[in-house]
Amino acid sequence: MPPRTRSAWLKTLGQLAMVLLAAAAIGMALGHPWQVVTCAALGVVAWHYWRLRRVLLRLTARQRLTPPLGDGVWNELDRLLYRGQSEMRSRKRRLIEMLRAYRAAAAALPDAIVVVDRLSQRVLWFNAACKPLLGMQYPEDMGAPLVQRLQPLPLAHWLAAGRHAETLEVPSPVNSSVTLSLRLIPYSENLWLLVARDVSRMLHLEQMRRDFVANVSHELRTPLTVVHGYLDMLDPEEHPDWAPMLAEMQRQSQRMTQLVEDLLTLSRLESQGSLPEEENIAMGAMLTTLAREANALSQGKHEVTVDDSSEGLDLWGGHKELHSAFSNLVSNAIRYTPAGGSVHIRFRREGSGAVLEVSDTGYGIPPNHLPRLTERFYRVSTSRSRESGGTGLGLAICKHVLNLHQARLQVTSEVGRGSTFSCHFGAERVRPREAIEVLP
Ligand code: ADP
């Protein structure tokens, strides 16, 4: 017990003893000591009941307590209650201020934020940005069913799928020239936060970047063809002194042409959200073409083998795109494998899908480079890539093509032993092989 409370307690006991002693003295003087002491004891009990009732009344009335004056247990109890009430009030004030600050911050955010009840999918709260971005009105839309309220947006399927990590890009229901990126964040057991962000500017900049790269590449194509043409016309035998320079100029102009072609392919792949044309891809013929290309590039310096263990499967997708992706892998395998090494191209079943694998016994790739390999112009060794005539875009192209086919690229590699690049296709991209396959 704290000292202050203990002294109040002792004081009250002392007062009780004094009252009883005084009553006994008066009682003895009157000749009825027990009766007077009993009356005094009853008086003390009644007074304590009265004080108890007063405390109960003050508590039930939820009144604001006043700081007590005086001492004794009842005043100490009043003091403790007053202190508890004051602490609770200041905590409540602080919490309300914090809540107001949070609400003000959420209301001031440029993104539209809607708090949604998970079970009923009804709107519980939304901020000011919901009006210009989602067309929501206060107070009419409070408690409205979210899917119905944002009607033209395809939310029902998205909410039902419950894939919260995925964003949904849709035109704003208020202004179709504004693109919104919607995200659903579950933030408690029963509540969702729907965040809608205006990404039109970002998309516009992205489009500008793509157009810029595509236009520059396109513009470079003609002058490069002209330079290339004139270089071809210069006969090194007529100008023996220039022969090394001419050879270098030809090599560099060829590299630039390849770079421009790869940039154009990449920007075409980026701008198309889906494949322009899908068809059955005869994998027997595809493997033969890849092997022929590998042999042409290797010029007999590598052993090239092909294995079709798919048990009669073909792929379904873009022929040109897939050929470009696979031949990039084959060309890398030849270019990053020293003479005398081998390259193995294999097409096999994997569950209900299929895998195309290109393995080599080349230089291999250190593990820290693997996660970044498909970035544009990312090279493990810049000098080796330049020497081998690489543009730094081959794997970026391959990844984009595979994305368009909902497929994924897997790379395993060991430095000094070689690498395996595998393209994994799902069941929807696999077809039984057609009976008659036209070989090239
Ligand atoms: P590049 O035109 O430079 O070959 P890519 O995008 O095709 O560009 O490949 C990126 C980098 O990945 C290459 O520079 C090379 O360092 C590495 N790489 C790709 N394939 C292989 C491979 N089969 N063996 C070793 N390294 C490879």
Side-chain angles (χ1 to χ4, degrees), residues 96-110 113 125 127-128:
I96 290 175
E97 273 165 22
M98 262 165 67
L99 195 70
R100 278 210 192 109
Y102 275 124
R103 281 210 166 186
L109 280 176
I113 294 176
W125 181 84
N127 71 348

Side-chain angles (χ1 to χ4, degrees), residues 328-329 332-333 335-336 360 363-365 373 375 378-381 385 388-396 419 421:
N328 270 317
L329 296 183
N332 280 351
R335 287 189 295 121
Y336 298 109
D360 62 58
Y363 304 116
I365 305 160
L373 275 191
E375 288 174 22
Y378 188 84
R379 280 139 171 168
V380 177
S381 155
S385 169
S388 68
T391 60
L393 295 171
L395 291 182
S419 320
F421 286 72

Side-chain angles (χ1 to χ4, degrees), residues 331-401:
S331 137
N332 280 351
I334 297 285
R335 287 189 295 121
Y336 298 109
T337 301
S342 56
V343 170
H344 185 56
I345 308 166
R346 185 175 179 210
F347 183 57
R348 62 179 170 87
R349 249 174 213 271
E350 182 188 52
S352 45
V355 185
L356 183 119
E357 259 169 20
V358 180
S359 318
D360 62 58
T361 56
Y363 304 116
I365 305 160
N368 57 320
H369 290 282
L370 294 180
R372 299 192 57 191
L373 275 191
T374 53
E375 288 174 22
R376 280 152 220 233
F377 299 112
Y378 188 84
R379 280 139 171 168
V380 177
S381 155
T382 314
S383 55
R384 194 175 279 161
S385 169
R386 289 232 171 89
E387 256 168 49
S388 68
T391 60
L393 295 171
L395 291 182
I397 291 177
C398 183
K399 190 183 133 186
H400 264 87
V401 169

Side-chain angles (χ1 to χ4, degrees), residues 49-60:
Y49 267 106
W50 175 73
R51 288 300 302 255
L52 182 64
R53 186 171 171 274
R54 229 174 70 166
V55 170
L56 286 176
L57 282 179
R58 282 164 83 179
L59 285 179
T60 46

Side-chain angles (χ1 to χ4, degrees), residues 19-239:
V19 169
L20 292 180
L21 280 175
I26 295 168
M28 274 199 273
L30 294 175
H32 299 286
W34 288 114
Q35 284 88 331
V36 176
V37 168
T38 308
C39 283
L42 284 174
V44 169
V45 171
W47 181 77
H48 279 294
Y49 267 106
W50 175 73
R51 288 300 302 255
L52 182 64
R53 186 171 171 274
R54 229 174 70 166
V55 170
L56 286 176
L57 282 179
R58 282 164 83 179
L59 285 179
T60 46
R62 291 171 161 262
Q63 275 171 358
R64 195 179 184 142
L65 300 176
T66 45
L69 298 167
D71 36 30
V73 265
W74 289 112
N75 286 324
E76 181 59 11
L77 183 65
D78 278 350
R79 192 183 67 80
L80 291 175
L81 287 174
Y82 173 74
R83 197 177 71 182
Q85 194 190 49
S86 312
E87 279 173 5
M88 209 177 70
R89 274 177 188 268
S90 69
R91 207 174 311 134
K92 205 164 142 190
R93 206 175 312 120
R94 269 205 313 275
L95 279 174
I96 290 175
E97 273 165 22
M98 262 165 67
L99 195 70
R100 278 210 192 109
Y102 275 124
R103 281 210 166 186
L109 280 176
D111 297 341
I113 294 176
V114 188
V115 176
V116 187
D117 181 76
R118 203 173 183 152
L119 281 181
S120 63
Q121 296 191 353
R122 282 175 185 272
V123 175
L124 297 181
W125 181 84
F126 55 90
N127 71 348
C130 288
K131 191 175 175 188
L133 293 179
L134 296 171
M136 291 174 77
Q137 299 286 348
Y138 183 84
E140 297 91 305
D141 290 332
M142 282 297 207
L146 184 74
V147 176
Q148 201 181 317
R149 179 57 197 82
L150 303 178
Q151 189 66 124
L153 305 185
L155 290 187
H157 191 63
W158 186 59
L159 290 178
R163 283 190 228 119
H164 304 121
E166 279 176 24
T167 54
L168 181 71
E169 270 183 23
V170 282
S172 157
V174 181
N175 177 356
S176 57
S177 65
V178 171
T179 308
L180 297 177
S181 165
L182 303 187
R183 252 200 100 179
L184 201 61
I185 305 165
Y187 76 101
S188 85
E189 217 173 286
N190 298 322
L191 299 174
W192 275 337
L193 207 62
L194 175 81
V195 183
R197 171 170 295 179
D198 179 356
V199 288
S200 325
R201 201 175 136 68
M202 211 176 71
L203 292 182
H204 182 63
L205 287 175
E206 183 64 17
Q207 187 58 45
M208 271 169 66
R209 182 191 65 80
R210 275 204 293 265
D211 290 351
F212 175 77
V213 174
N215 289 341
V216 169
S217 313
H218 201 74
E219 291 300 321
L220 282 174
R221 220 183 201 174
T222 318
L224 270 174
T225 316
V226 173
V227 171
H228 214 66
Y230 281 123
L231 281 174
D232 278 347
M233 281 164 64
L234 290 173
D235 185 358
E237 281 178 14
E238 280 178 26
H239 313 275

Side-chain angles (χ1 to χ4, degrees), residues 1-13 71-73 76:
M1 199 186 283
R4 191 173 171 163
T5 313
R6 194 172 50 230
S7 86
W9 175 246
L10 290 175
K11 192 160 188 176
T12 305
L13 282 182
D71 36 30
V73 265
E76 181 59 11

